[in-house]
Amino acid sequence: MSKIRQWFHFFKANLAKGYKRFPMTIGFAVAFVVVAIYFSHASEKAPYIDKVMMALAIGVPLSGVMKMLEEQFAFHKWLDVAVAVFFVAVYGYLIPLNPDDVFMRQYTALSAALYGMFFIVPYLKRSESFSQYLFYNISKFFLTLLYALILFAGSSAVYFTVNVLFELQLPEVIYMDLMMISFGIFGPMHFLGNLPRREQRELPYAMLFERLFTWIVLPLLMIYTVILHAYFVKMLLTQTFPEGMIGNLVVWYGLISVVTLFFLNESRSEQQWLAKVTKYYPIGMIAPLGMLFVAAWMRIDLYGLTLSRYLLVVAGLFEVIAVLLIFLRRERANVPLGIIAVLMTLLAFMGPISGDSLARRLQNERLKIKIEVLDALDTNGDVNVKNLDAASQNEISLTATYLADAYGVDSIYFAAEDETAEALEERTGIELKTYRYRVPDKEMYFSHYNEPLMSLVALDGADYLLKVTSYDPLNLELKDIGVSLNKNETQDSIDLIFKSSDGTIAEHLDLLTWMQLMVQTENFEDERVIVLGDSSYEIKWILYNVNGYQSTDEAHKADGFTPEAVDKASEDYRVTIEYFEGYLRMTKKD
């Protein structure tokens, strides 16, 4: 019992220390969890909820950085609160309702930079023991994750037991609430409660990490370095350029090498062999990094700059800077290296020299040169590739496709404002072979999913119950009622073809049109009767899973149905079915 009491007081003290030292940071974390829990229980999601949660999430590392700055430079204790709240409010207002991929990359980079600065700020004045400080906090971070996981598992087990034993039928969403409380409130409070203060310089190494880098990672990197140098010698002898995945292989090798040297920088003085290896290891990285830049230059020269190639070059530049710093400054390189990593992260994703900005601008310049060289302008000076040969059209199409896929159709320099992909293709003849799934003119998405119907459907004396999906073929011989059934898919219809046993009489049932009607009328179980020869069959279509979208179009009527059904389906929008699953129940009528 005394052990349990000790553990309880231990966690209580840590949580109290975390809140006392970082009240604003804990406040942002609690606010994030409360908002997330509230809207997970709400009947519908407010359009601004993502903005609020993203702003609160960015407030967690920002408030932590401001608190660390206050401790380092002893400015007024309320100044950090004012700056953090003001920034979060302004930034939250600037977050778009529907952020695109570019903004999300910027948001992620900003978050990563703030978390990085949170650990760097305590060592701005003195750089000694910085890697020990990070080692210590990494070990505490994983320990905190373990404690939070145990708390979540235990509280979930209690909730499950009470729910089952007393047959309360409590909602399952509570498990998600318990997880957010465990990892979103308990986790930060416990971790921050263990965070060393600035006066705590001498911290014990996390032996697991030190041994991992010293005896496993570093020897493997040395073997990898030998392999890369052997490849470099092969290139010199054969007079070839680096090919294939050499760029990606080297950049990851370089990053892992930098991290390893970073963490071993302050412990190498304790072991003579380690001091010699880490001193000369950066020299062995020169040839591999040279191959990285040659490979990147070749790809950019052939195909232009993209975000992935830009990040490859930025990572290579960081590795070169890191190697020089570690070689020249040794133990004093760690803090400047951390600051450089933060700055390069921000510059790589934000501002005029970011990867997205440069890729968009340079690919447009490349596209413009191609269009002028290939003479793809009509008499009015507008882009038109319809009279070019297939190879020239494809060359222009690939560059335009990259821009449309990565940044939207409006990123292409000759695209009209709010022009859709289809309109641009029709106007210019350029085929946009987009790989990402997007339909610009979608207006209303729908999704119907009825889980019980997946496993529980009433037969009601039916002869057959057939599962029909958007991807499965259907070719059946229903001998008991003398009918064969085939599924025939085209772009505009999904025909169910019914034939009698002799194959001479057939009837087509347009399943796609039927589903469009069901979506519009919100009736996902419907029946109709077909006649084959002298027999009648009752067909019931049970649609338990369907999704797609509705877009403005000319009136789209469901031909072949009753006048009442046609009137219901005659709306000013068109229904497009993207995916479906359902049951077809067939009964022969007497």
Side-chain angles (χ1 to χ4, degrees):
M1 192 68 181
S2 60
K3 278 288 185 183
I4 297 177
R5 191 180 296 111
Q6 289 177 6
W7 277 97
F8 176 78
H9 286 302
F10 167 73
F11 284 113
K12 180 181 177 182
N14 273 337
L15 297 179
K17 281 198 305 182
Y19 176 75
K20 185 177 180 180
R21 187 180 176 191
F22 296 94
M24 185 170 53
T25 304
I26 301 300
F28 277 118
V30 171
F32 177 87
V33 172
V34 169
V35 172
I37 290 175
Y38 174 79
F39 281 98
S40 69
H41 291 265
S43 57
E44 61 181 73
K45 184 179 177 182
Y48 56 83
I49 182 59
D50 291 335
K51 288 165 59 78
V52 173
M53 294 185 68
M54 289 173 68
L56 292 174
I58 209 74
V60 173
L62 174 64
S63 58
V65 171
M66 296 305 300
K67 178 62 180 178
M68 288 298 193
L69 287 171
E70 178 205 321
E71 292 181 353
Q72 278 289 297
F73 300 102
F75 53 74
H76 195 281
K77 66 179 182 178
W78 288 107
L79 181 61
D80 61 328
V81 177
V83 172
V85 171
F86 176 77
F87 181 88
V88 169
V90 173
Y91 187 75
Y93 175 78
L94 296 176
I95 296 174
L97 279 175
N98 297 300
D100 57 13
D101 292 344
V102 174
F103 182 86
M104 291 307 300
R105 286 193 286 268
Q106 294 174 348
Y107 178 84
T108 303
L110 178 60
S111 299
L114 287 173
Y115 279 108
M117 287 304 301
F118 176 74
F119 295 104
I120 294 172
V121 168
Y123 283 81
L124 289 177
K125 293 183 178 180
R126 289 178 56 187
S127 61
E128 295 85 353
S129 306
F130 181 50
S131 62
Q132 294 186 35
Y133 177 76
L134 289 183
F135 261 138
Y136 177 83
N137 286 316
I138 290 172
S139 63
K140 289 298 181 182
F141 173 77
F142 284 109
L143 190 61
T144 299
L145 284 181
L146 177 61
Y147 288 154
L149 180 61
I150 294 173
L151 176 63
F152 168 62
S155 57
S156 297
V158 170
Y159 182 78
F160 175 79
T161 303
V162 172
N163 194 17
V164 171
L165 293 182
F166 295 96
E167 299 180 355
L168 299 178
Q169 297 183 349
L170 298 174
E172 293 187 359
V173 71
I174 298 298
Y175 292 110
M176 181 63 69
D177 300 344
L178 294 173
M179 185 179 71
M180 287 190 286
I181 292 171
S182 300
F183 290 93
I185 297 179
F186 169 82
M189 289 181 71
H190 183 270
F191 177 78
L192 294 174
N194 279 283
L195 196 71
R197 289 184 175 271
R198 61 181 179 178
E199 62 270 13
Q200 295 174 261
R201 293 291 174 180
E202 296 301 325
L203 296 168
Y205 259 100
M207 296 301 296
L208 175 64
F209 290 103
E210 182 186 9
R211 290 172 180 171
L212 172 67
F213 282 105
T214 304
W215 300 107
I216 298 178
V217 179
L218 184 59
L220 289 174
L221 286 173
M222 293 169 67
I223 296 173
Y224 201 88
T225 303
V226 173
I227 295 173
L228 290 176
H229 278 81
Y231 180 77
F232 180 69
V233 172
K234 171 182 173 291
M235 281 173 34
L236 294 178
L237 294 176
T238 58
Q239 297 184 357
T240 57
F241 288 101
E243 298 177 354
M245 298 178 61
I246 186 65
N248 290 319
L249 291 175
V250 171
V251 78
W252 285 109
Y253 154 80
L255 288 174
I256 297 173
S257 297
V258 168
V259 171
T260 302
L261 293 173
F262 174 88
F263 280 117
L264 295 180
N265 233 354
E266 294 169 2
S267 65
R268 61 184 182 177
S269 59
E270 302 171 6
Q271 303 179 57
Q272 189 175 3
W273 74 270
L274 185 60
K276 290 182 178 179
V277 170
T278 53
K279 178 181 179 180
Y280 295 107
Y281 183 85
I283 299 175
M285 296 177 63
I286 295 175
L289 289 176
M291 290 191 294
L292 164 66
F293 287 110
V294 172
W297 175 80
M298 291 177 63
R299 300 292 292 180
I300 294 172
D301 183 61
L302 286 173
Y303 306 108
L305 184 70
T306 63
L307 179 62
S308 60
R309 292 168 196 147
Y310 174 88
L311 294 178
L312 192 74
V313 173
V314 169
L317 289 174
F318 171 73
E319 291 163 11
V320 170
I321 295 171
V323 167
L324 290 174
L325 273 175
I326 292 172
F327 184 75
L328 297 174
R329 293 177 61 92
R330 300 188 181 182
E331 292 85 354
R332 295 175 298 161
N334 283 0
V335 173
L337 193 56
I339 296 173
I340 291 171
V342 168
L343 292 176
M344 291 186 72
T345 299
L346 291 175
L347 293 174
F349 292 96
M350 297 181 177
I353 62 171
S354 67
D356 289 308
S357 297
L358 287 178
R360 180 172 174 167
R361 183 166 67 250
L362 295 180
Q363 287 287 358
N364 264 306
E365 292 178 2
R366 183 182 181 88
L367 180 61
K368 189 173 183 179
I369 292 172
K370 285 182 180 180
I371 288 173
E372 292 175 351
V373 169
L374 296 173
D375 195 20
L377 298 174
D378 60 19
T379 54
N380 297 322
D382 298 324
V383 176
N384 192 329
V385 303
K386 297 176 182 178
N387 295 325
L388 299 181
D389 59 85
S392 299
Q393 288 187 17
N394 185 62
E395 188 176 348
I396 293 174
S397 173
L398 288 175
T399 305
T401 295
Y402 170 77
L403 288 166
D405 191 57
Y407 305 108
V409 176
D410 57 353
S411 67
I412 303 174
Y413 78 92
F414 54 78
E417 186 177 358
D418 297 328
E419 189 171 23
T420 64
E422 292 79 5
L424 186 138
E425 288 179 332
E426 177 66 25
R427 178 172 63 85
T428 64
I430 298 175
E431 182 182 1
L432 297 180
K433 304 171 183 178
T434 53
Y435 301 104
R436 181 183 305 168
Y437 178 74
R438 61 171 68 194
V439 181
D441 58 351
K442 286 185 181 180
E443 295 181 358
M444 296 174 288
Y445 289 86
F446 64 81
S447 178
H448 167 74
Y449 178 67
N450 192 330
E451 185 175 4
L453 281 179
M454 292 183 63
S455 55
L456 182 64
V457 176
L459 290 176
D460 294 334
D463 294 304
Y464 285 97
L465 182 67
L466 310 174
K467 184 176 180 180
V468 184
T469 70
S470 59
Y471 50 81
D472 290 334
L474 195 63
N475 187 4
L476 298 172
E477 190 74 24
L478 312 179
K479 296 182 178 180
D480 291 347
I481 54 178
V483 173
S484 62
L485 178 60
N486 301 86
K487 178 182 170 188
N488 180 35
E489 294 191 40
T490 64
Q491 185 175 358
D492 300 321
S493 67
I494 302 176
D495 290 332
L496 295 181
I497 305 171
F498 297 85
K499 296 181 180 180
S500 61
S501 55
D502 59 6
T504 56
I505 304 175
E507 179 161 338
H508 293 258
L509 179 62
D510 188 347
L511 194 62
L512 180 60
T513 302
W514 199 355
M515 286 188 288
Q516 290 169 337
L517 171 68
M518 296 171 80
V519 169
Q520 290 176 335
T521 58
E522 297 185 358
N523 177 24
F524 298 98
E525 295 187 33
D526 199 9
E527 296 183 4
R528 67 175 301 180
V529 175
I530 64 172
V531 178
L532 292 177
D534 299 330
S535 302
S536 297
Y537 299 87
E538 187 179 82
I539 309 296
K540 184 170 185 178
W541 177 228
I542 304 168
L543 191 59
Y544 67 80
N545 187 9
V546 61
N547 57 58
Y549 62 95
Q550 302 174 13
S551 57
T552 303
D553 201 344
E554 60 184 5
H556 180 61
K557 299 185 178 182
D559 298 331
F561 290 87
T562 63
E564 293 80 11
V566 172
D567 290 339
K568 292 179 182 179
S570 301
E571 304 289 347
D572 293 332
Y573 53 81
R574 183 181 183 90
V575 174
T576 299
I577 306 294
E578 295 181 321
Y579 176 80
F580 71 88
E581 293 178 293
Y583 290 109
L584 196 67
R585 196 174 69 190
M586 295 182 57
T587 307
K588 186 175 182 180
K589 300 182 68 177
D590 296 332

